[in-house]
Amino acid sequence: MDTSLAAQLESVLRKAAGDGTALTSMTVDYAGEPGDGALEPKGWVERATRSLVFAQGELRRPDGALAASASAVFRRAGD
C-alpha cells in the first residue's frame, strides 16, 4: 500500500467536510493490518455548525471487516 491509512482517512474526511474547510483535529482508530486488496472508503458529516464540521470516516477490507476509522473537526473558511 502506497498511502497510509491515516492519509486515506484524511482524504475521505476532507471530501465529506467539503470545500472551504480546514482540518483542526483528527483521531484515528486502527483495527489491525489492512490486509490484501483495495480498502472501501466511506465518509460522512455527523453534524455541522456555522463554523465547524464534524465528520466521521472508515476504511473497510474487501471482506467487510473494519481496517480503520476516524473522526475529525474542520473549521469553515473565514471563521
Side-chain angles (χ1 to χ4, degrees), residues 18-78:
D19 293 335
T21 59
L23 181 64
T24 0
S25 160
M26 184 172 99
T27 302
V28 178
D29 295 307
Y30 298 95
E33 293 298 317
D36 293 332
L39 296 173
E40 175 78 28
K42 182 178 179 185
W44 63 95
V45 173
E46 206 52 45
R47 69 185 175 103
T49 67
R50 191 173 57 102
S51 59
L52 300 173
V53 178
F54 299 84
Q56 301 283 325
E58 61 186 27
L59 297 172
R60 292 202 173 263
R61 296 181 186 100
D63 66 0
L66 185 66
S69 63
S71 60
V73 179
F74 292 84
R75 181 168 300 284
R76 294 183 194 266

